[in-house]
Amino acid sequence: MKKIILQILATLLFSTTIFAQSEEQKIKLIDEYGICPMEETVARLEQFTIQLGNNPTAKGLIKIYGGQGDSFALPYIRGAIVKAYLKNNTILTAQRFTVLFCNINKQPFNSKFFLIDENEKIEPCEENLTVPQKTVLFQILGFYEDANFSAEKLFEDSKIYSVDPVSNMYSQTVQNVLAKLYKESPESKIYLVGYLGANFFESAKENSKGEYEKKENRNLDKPKMLTKIFREVETALTKNGIDKSGIVKINGGYQDSTKNIEIWF
């Protein structure tokens, strides 16, 4: 009797081990991280691409979890960067990877990279994207060398040559989220608060003694620049289904940095 029981236990243990190995083969966690510098994000994506290259029959799955962070759109901005990098900076096709947003703003920001079996079905995440019950900072658009806002060439269609690729390009991923929130709450308003830059820089001039004296300067942006930026951002929003009457533009004046626009929902 004791021998029979031991045989049964051994069989169950072996079956459990085989099942665990099978599950591990179907889906494997490759990497997991929270908020980090863009350089590190790109480096992790490079390693993830290598893993996919070493497993040609596997698919990539990226799950990005919420966390409001600096802005409501933070997870979607990071998701757009992931899509742009994998689609335009690698040899991967769109069929080789999937990006999912999970429990947005319900937990700290977190990204997980998986390898999954090519025949394994990908279950959708519970996104939990709901209209905010109070005014929230949705996104900040930064403008540096020029005032052009590129809505025609969306970020997902661009190659990443820089670790800060979203400075003056809008993401289709982010636009879709903002349009969805507005559609579900058309009585809400979208506020564009624009700031012109009082850009700091130093110059040096040689004096009569042959010494170089440093001088602090403020290069003020021209007021008409903000009007142009407002117009371009508003055009991008209305093209994506947001009614012009729901957009409020506010001049925030000058700040001691580069020009930018805050998008509040």
Side-chain angles (χ1 to χ4, degrees), residues 144-157:
Y144 298 89
E145 307 237 336
D146 57 57
N148 292 327
F149 174 80
S150 178
E152 297 302 323
K153 187 178 181 182
L154 295 166
F155 175 55
E156 282 90 337
D157 297 326

Side-chain angles (χ1 to χ4, degrees), residues 62 173 185 199:
I62 300 102
T173 301
S185 180
N199 308 291

Side-chain angles (χ1 to χ4, degrees), residues 16 30 64 69 75 89 92 115 130 159 169 183 203 211 215:
T16 303
I30 297 298
I64 299 178
N89 287 65
L92 299 178
L115 289 183
T130 57
K159 285 200 171 185
M169 284 190 287
K183 183 178 180 180
S203 61
E211 301 170 335
K215 181 182 178 182

